[in-house]
Amino acid sequence: MMIFKRLYDTKLAQASYLIGSAETRQAVVIDPNRDIEQYLRAASDEGLTITHVTETHIHADFVSGSRELAARTGATLLLSDEGTADWKYAFAAGAGATLLKDGDTFDVGSIRLQAVHTPGHTPEHLTFLVTDTTAASDPVGAITGDFLFVGEVGRPDLLERAAHFEGTMEEAARTLYRSLQQFRRLPDALQIWPGHGAGSACGKEIGAVPQSTLGYERLTNWAFAEGNEQEFVRRVLDGQPDPPRYFAEMKRVNKEGPPLPLARFDELVAGGALVIDVRSADAFAAKHIPGTLNIPAGRSFTTWAGWLIPYTRDLVLIGGDDSASCAEDARRDLRLIGLDRIANCFGPAIVEAWARAGRDIGRVARIDAGSLATQLAAGAVAVVDVRSAAEWASGHIAGAQNVPLGYLLDRIESLPKDRPLVVHCQGGTRSAIAASLLQAHTSAVVMNLAGGFNEWRAGGFAAEPSLAGTAEGALPLRGRNGAGAS
Amino acid sequence: MMIFKRLYDTKLAQASYLIGSAETRQAVVIDPNRDIEQYLRAASDEGLTITHVTETHIHADFVSGSRELAARTGATLLLSDEGTADWKYAFAAGAGATLLKDGDTFDVGSIRLQAVHTPGHTPEHLTFLVTDTTAASDPVGAITGDFLFVGEVGRPDLLERAAHFEGTMEEAARTLYRSLQQFRRLPDALQIWPGHGAGSACGKEIGAVPQSTLGYERLTNWAFAEGNEQEFVRRVLDGQPDPPRYFAEMKRVNKEGPPLPLARFDELVAGGALVIDVRSADAFAAKHIPGTLNIPAGRSFTTWAGWLIPYTRDLVLIGGDDSASCAEDARRDLRLIGLDRIANCFGPAIVEAWARAGRDIGRVARIDAGSLATQLAAGAVAVVDVRSAAEWASGHIAGAQNVPLGYLLDRIESLPKDRPLVVHCQGGTRSAIAASLLQAHTSAVVMNLAGGFNEWRAGGFAAEPSLAGTAEGALPLRGRNGAGAS
Amino acid sequence: MMIFKRLYDTKLAQASYLIGSAETRQAVVIDPNRDIEQYLRAASDEGLTITHVTETHIHADFVSGSRELAARTGATLLLSDEGTADWKYAFAAGAGATLLKDGDTFDVGSIRLQAVHTPGHTPEHLTFLVTDTTAASDPVGAITGDFLFVGEVGRPDLLERAAHFEGTMEEAARTLYRSLQQFRRLPDALQIWPGHGAGSACGKEIGAVPQSTLGYERLTNWAFAEGNEQEFVRRVLDGQPDPPRYFAEMKRVNKEGPPLPLARFDELVAGGALVIDVRSADAFAAKHIPGTLNIPAGRSFTTWAGWLIPYTRDLVLIGGDDSASCAEDARRDLRLIGLDRIANCFGPAIVEAWARAGRDIGRVARIDAGSLATQLAAGAVAVVDVRSAAEWASGHIAGAQNVPLGYLLDRIESLPKDRPLVVHCQGGTRSAIAASLLQAHTSAVVMNLAGGFNEWRAGGFAAEPSLAGTAEGALPLRGRNGAGAS
Amino acid sequence: MMIFKRLYDTKLAQASYLIGSAETRQAVVIDPNRDIEQYLRAASDEGLTITHVTETHIHADFVSGSRELAARTGATLLLSDEGTADWKYAFAAGAGATLLKDGDTFDVGSIRLQAVHTPGHTPEHLTFLVTDTTAASDPVGAITGDFLFVGEVGRPDLLERAAHFEGTMEEAARTLYRSLQQFRRLPDALQIWPGHGAGSACGKEIGAVPQSTLGYERLTNWAFAEGNEQEFVRRVLDGQPDPPRYFAEMKRVNKEGPPLPLARFDELVAGGALVIDVRSADAFAAKHIPGTLNIPAGRSFTTWAGWLIPYTRDLVLIGGDDSASCAEDARRDLRLIGLDRIANCFGPAIVEAWARAGRDIGRVARIDAGSLATQLAAGAVAVVDVRSAAEWASGHIAGAQNVPLGYLLDRIESLPKDRPLVVHCQGGTRSAIAASLLQAHTSAVVMNLAGGFNEWRAGGFAAEPSLAGTAEGALPLRGRNGAGAS
């Protein structure tokens, strides 16, 4: 059984389609734009997993989201292999895409898609015939992209007028005519799911009804009614709206390959940007991009940002709720202390993208007080206490070394190189930051005593000086806001 | 009668104060941080106008908002003129600030503030005694900044340890001791309104109660209890938390002058950025920064952005609700077509800042169809119709010239230079964009027939060809989304 | 040109349709549910006005919104006149509905709808053939309600199994079979827009694709494939899900007439509820339901609510943003002073509903200080000053009478009955409340000096005592929050 | 160390105070109003637990939140035992309150509060002297309620003028005078934290500064300046604003005992209301009020609500995020099917209130497929399959009994009474509802096979008929929205 959802962007007057199989809960997205979160949400709402991503042609009016959506989900990317050499997807091989020729089919669970080459609007243009194999062997509808609209056809002059391939539009119009003659032979009952609605500059007079049927189009669409090729060519080229100037750039980008967030991330890092991951210490410990600094959002964020982030470098933030959102609170907090050089902000999805690209993932191992006591006794680890000198003085792990977090980078050479390092603070906030810092700047194995000195003390392990005399009263409060804390 | 509001930032553990006069509804803000919107909102909530802005000292732990708040509101900026040559506000003269010496007073309606020089934490530090003249001649309280906290005093070692003025901290501690001896003579009942709460690194053990009284501090604050200067010096310098590294930068910025949004704007423009004002056409017509391009947010935003914005330049946006917010929708729309180079985003307040700086303000004059008919008949103006060729063909103002908006910049030389230009489209959206474009690229007087050809036709003015034969049916719909519209 | 929008409720698995004419911007809504705000928003988004409302049949699974939507918009309501006597709309005449028989047509601008009687699911069931007359004389699609779904047909057993009309389901199944045989003759290309999607209990195995075509349904829908009537009857009655118990109640409600908000309002008022309109004084002055009390939301709301609302009556609130929202702030404020008896809450739309029902509308006339001075001098009006005795003592309009707002109801008999009454306070808040109170409890003509004594004094009109000696200082402040104010 | 937070309601011009101990993280709330969520949030933000709740006096201008906050948190409730017999808290004993006499003290961690009897505004009025025992033995400030305001005193005429205790106000004024003479002896430096700000009708000319000091009040407050008792009495009674009418009711309510949500809940249930708990099945299983029906919010909510909720009863909902919010989605969904009789809506806190009152708590035990198989084989349990007959027919647990959920209540007598009942459906949604229904209407022990038949089948346990032949394809999809599902 087929699940079907149309996603429409009113400003672009552009439609994407999510089609799924009720049997396998797999889904394909066709013609996604760059706002890929919407497809992830829609699939999730329907209980579907996106396993295939494809598009009808190289779009001229928006940045395609196909490449990024496939990279994000790990879905199979399918791209047209039709058309002339000028209109081949340059990034197809690099992206591991499957290439489609006229007549090729692929299955998304119980749903079968067949690519039909329908050139005219563009040389490589595909239409997808969609068959619900649980219902019939005949297709239920066609994703027609910019080939056939409701009441209109895709303009064949864009390559010439927008992408400046001179002298191509008349031939494209003839090709379009022939594609229409081929396509008209399909059944009346075929649903037509086009790529644009009223208002798009990809056609002249596109209708405001979201979809149509082939029978109705044959009845009402001027392009089917016009039986004379020459006259068709004249009419289809006449009175087309001026193609917006940016179409040329979109053609280029979508052919060469829309930029991926990870590429942008790499570029920023290569350019010297410092990456600050503001996710929780737990999230960072579980999975992070090696070399990034973890300063979790929270009450002491500003203080540690001020300690550890230089004013001389561009900054990249990782945080927020998803790939589209950004850590706005962190941005505001950094601004309050003059750290304005936020070059970019990535959602947590960038960490997933990193992992999916097969790159090494960073993790921070935890250790508990009991294990630490044992290993410390065995001389198997060195302990770095990153609390302040005052906290250290009021009681610390016997055998530890004190390097307050703010000075950790300055004194990094003083740390043992022959053993794993266990970092700790009072309650776990500072040691999480310290662990990320040590991982980024040393080759040491780093562990975090996440429960901090609180856990150590509660466990009754060896401390100096004797804890009996420690005045703890004022510490917790001070610590809540500022430098002395947790 | 006095109105009093404390604004507290939990992450900075920092307090600002808004104090107003119920009689005159004037108000002063003391020690604002860079998030200046909060003070504007608070004043508005209380029905107050901010007429004065001041600060106790050159802050080390956040970017001061004094300069920007004064620039934004036109309030009098008051800054300390005490302290050594090293600690003078370098931007005071340029910002037109009033300088304050020990003992100076200023009135905010019925409220009087007196500056008291209380060096120690910093050499130039002022405390403000606040008197409600409608109630008593004695002060009701003191804004003590980082001189006196609840249960603590401001640390005197920051200049040496954070700003690296070597060898100053002992002398500063002695100065602080003497300031305290002076200050302790004031009445017990004096309220103490400090600049920081628990958690700030500007003091050692700051209390968690928001405010105190001088009598209670004399009773409980160790700094008042310590009667021996030498011992005070020892104690105050002992056990201070390490000053976060960024304090040095804050000192520098706040002394030299925190950057103003207008300066940042100027810098971006000087660096070649293109400014896109996405406010409504009405707001832009009423007041804008000359040379900026107006593409109002809305259904055709993406199309016109794609037509008119080059991919090769950095972009600056003006839009959103206030000075802090940004035009997030516009940012997303631009991203969809690959226009990612948003260098910065300013709220509508940047236009106010421009005006307040005494710079020329741009405006777009409106003209109605009747006046246009008269002036056109008299040859006093030239009409530029920025609709598409198809719309032009289906009916246009007799005597007008057609240059579709997308090509306006290319054909700008073809426009008359001897008369004012009246631009129009069908319903006013495109002509607003066109007007901004012509103002930016020509020296012509530009007017907008905001009612467009719709108004002209409804008024029955001279058109070509005869309107009788015009088929208008499909136009409005197409126009709603895209290139052919309003 | 046709505009088409499907509105789908996932929990009901139910579809409504908004169909408009691009030429006239008129629209029809078919099968609305009770959440009528969604249709108003959708029409507004598309620039359409809802001029017609209809439904395919008497729904069993939700309360129909047809009656309320038509009443709200003033649209023509069209209802089926087919079927047996048991299944006639009982409220049709009272609601001024137009009745539809098989074959009847009506036009919504350029869009023509034809009613086709398709009994089976219910006896009165209509299907609407929709023709875009600007494109073709053939219909583009059919709104099939619960007659034909994607892959399924509407169950014919509901009347028996849910509404308990015993012994009807077999005959209904036969009728459905004949309706299908009739319907199958329409063209393959006809779009099928059904009333339900997967998950609805109105059919057995409804498909998850939003729409279909007649040709595809003939190919794949078992109900078309089954050519033997007896066998069809057996199959269609076999394995139907149990109809949820509430279906019987829905049938009854939708036949007799779903309740209108205005009827509910009337019922509450008849039951003794006190109506509090918390909209702004301006909105209330412009249009209100006579007899209601205006206490505008704002800082003094709680005080005046406490003064004027008895604890012994049920309360009805009018406020919020639209017909669906409610004045939540007012509800919270009332709760703080123990006024918990909120029987209901209506949006501002109830005032529109009142007006549309042809009932008298209340208004509050404004008067300015100059006109008041003239009329007062001529003895044409009496002035009621509703400020406190203290404010009165410190200066008042010569010749006015003082009745503090809190006592107005107690002393209402003391007011002149022979002249219009002009109420005023200091700045306009209290007099707005007073005006509503006097209108509700007297037959006097009431006017509001909205500028209050502030305007009178600023205008230099006659006051007692001489204003020279008045100490005004503290008043504005006190007034901001409480009883003494504006 | 003391933690201090003032919570101010601008419409009531009323202040509550949260005071905590940094050492023990305990806190007291003084003078809470009925919006108790704010205190819970504030305490949570500061890492505090509310262990004590008290109030200065029987408030006249809002419903006290003391009783409810203490009941909600389990905190000790402390109430005045001073004053005449007419002004004793009638609910004190029932609420288990601790009574306070002049001079009584209680400790909240390191913070000590001492009650000082300060009659005048009311006979029972207490002022709380607050001492931070970690800092000094002298109090840091006084919570003065409506005894002493900034620049004003609490009016002594309310009992006579608002609560209508005739002839009391002059004596109250004299009492107030004497309270002031007592209180003035405290130190100048004492902070004054009053119960109201500018705008309250509990005083005449209350200042707009949030707090003051005793020394400053002695200097500027007219009430301290007036040394002649007779003259004081005259002045304090002169020119008081009229007390809003609702004050009398507030006095009564706050003396007799503000209503608790649980009492309201009991009253509704006693009146015949049906309680629907729309929380998740997991939350309900963990803890619920016995006898309530669990229909979790979600896609099938409307269907099951329609099946199981009668139109003839008032409804009470339990849901939403906290005690203040309500299940607005559920309300809308019910409205769509005409279930409008929502008498009230309670947050999840009502379940906590129920538990804290020592009443029995309902739970739903879970069982897994393996355990079930064992127990079923042993004849220790009976299995009730609440899926539809069609689902049953396509495969079910061997030995189970089928009663579709919609008919469960009708056939409840047919269930075994000698063994525990295990309910299940396909995936767990329906069985959760069924379990709540069976618990409410039988005395059986009820368990839920939450994994449903899916888990049973996956485990390969005995089913009928043989599962090999089952066609499962279409089931999951249908199930997603409606009656046939999970």
Side-chain angles (χ1 to χ4, degrees), chain A residues 344-419:
Chain A
N344 217 330
C345 198
F346 294 87
I350 195 71
V351 183
E352 301 302 324
W354 181 275
R356 199 177 289 283
R359 303 184 184 178
D360 286 347
I361 276 294
R363 287 188 180 80
V364 181
R366 302 261 169 128
I367 189 168
D368 60 41
S371 306
L372 176 55
T374 307
Q375 297 197 29
L376 190 57
V381 297
V383 176
V384 184
D385 179 341
V386 299
R387 298 177 303 157
S388 68
E391 289 168 286
W392 166 268
S394 76
H396 56 262
I397 296 177
Q401 173 178 0
N402 178 227
V403 187
L405 174 54
Y407 301 109
L408 187 56
L409 213 48
D410 306 316
R411 306 191 196 157
I412 207 158
E413 287 305 316
S414 74
L415 303 179
K417 292 182 181 53
D418 58 344
R419 281 162 293 167

Side-chain angles (χ1 to χ4, degrees), chain C residues 8-13 33-35 61-63 68 161 198-199 204-205 208 241-246 249-250 298-299 302-303 306-307 311 329 332-333 335-338 340 404 406-407 410 474 477-478 481-483, chain D residues 8-13 33-35 61-63 68 161 198-199 204-205 208 241-246 249-250 298-299 302-303 306-307 311 329 332-333 335-338 340 404 406-407 410 474 477-478 481-483:
Chain C
Y8 192 71
D9 186 281
T10 51
K11 287 180 188 166
L12 296 172
N33 65 39
R34 203 180 186 188
D35 178 12
D61 54 332
F62 59 90
V63 178
E68 185 175 342
R161 295 185 62 203
K204 223 186 311 186
E205 298 268 1
D242 296 318
R245 202 168 301 230
Y246 77 102
E249 175 72 5
M250 293 297 95
R299 277 209 176 172
T302 316
T303 298
W307 260 110
Y311 283 88
D329 278 359
R332 180 225 178 236
D333 293 340
R335 200 177 166 276
L336 281 185
I337 58 171
D340 295 356
Y407 301 110
D410 306 315
L477 201 266
R478 256 184 65 215
N481 293 325
Chain D
Y8 193 72
D9 186 280
T10 52
K11 286 180 188 167
L12 295 172
N33 64 41
R34 204 179 184 187
D35 178 11
D61 53 331
F62 59 90
V63 178
E68 185 174 343
R161 295 185 62 203
K204 223 186 309 185
E205 299 268 0
D242 295 319
R245 203 168 302 232
Y246 77 103
E249 175 71 6
M250 292 298 95
R299 277 209 177 173
T302 316
T303 298
W307 260 110
Y311 283 88
D329 278 359
R332 180 224 177 237
D333 292 339
R335 202 178 165 275
L336 282 184
I337 58 171
D340 295 357
Y407 300 109
D410 306 317
L477 200 266
R478 253 184 66 216
N481 293 324

Side-chain angles (χ1 to χ4, degrees), chain D residues 286-444:
Chain D
K287 191 188 286 193
H288 65 265
I289 296 177
T292 59
L293 180 60
N294 181 218
I295 310 182
R299 277 209 177 173
S300 59
F301 175 79
T302 316
T303 298
W304 293 115
W307 260 110
L308 301 170
I309 303 176
Y311 283 88
T312 51
R313 291 177 68 180
D314 282 346
L315 305 176
V316 163
L317 300 183
I318 297 177
D321 293 330
D322 56 37
S323 79
S325 79
C326 177
E328 284 306 322
D329 278 359
R331 189 191 284 271
R332 180 224 177 237
D333 292 339
L334 295 176
R335 202 178 165 275
L336 282 184
I337 58 171
L339 287 164
D340 295 357
R341 294 179 57 175
I342 314 291
N344 217 329
C345 199
F346 293 88
I350 195 71
V351 183
E352 301 301 326
W354 180 276
R356 200 177 287 282
R359 303 183 183 179
D360 285 348
I361 275 295
R363 288 190 178 77
V364 182
R366 304 260 168 126
I367 190 169
D368 59 41
S371 305
L372 176 56
T374 307
Q375 298 197 26
L376 190 57
V381 297
V383 175
V384 184
D385 179 340
V386 298
R387 296 176 304 157
S388 69
E391 289 169 286
W392 167 268
S394 77
H396 57 261
I397 296 179
Q401 174 179 357
N402 179 227
V403 187
L405 174 55
Y407 300 109
L408 188 56
L409 213 48
D410 306 317
R411 306 190 196 157
I412 207 159
E413 286 306 315
S414 74
L415 303 179
K417 292 180 182 56
D418 58 344
R419 280 161 293 169
L421 301 176
V422 174
V423 289
H424 81 86
C425 58
Q426 194 70 27
T429 299
R430 285 170 290 179
S431 63
I433 301 172
S436 74
L437 207 65
L438 290 177
Q439 286 192 333
H441 289 88
T442 74
S443 56

Side-chain angles (χ1 to χ4, degrees), chain C residues 366-377:
Chain C
R366 303 260 169 128
I367 190 169
D368 61 39
S371 304
L372 175 55
T374 306
Q375 296 196 28
L376 189 58

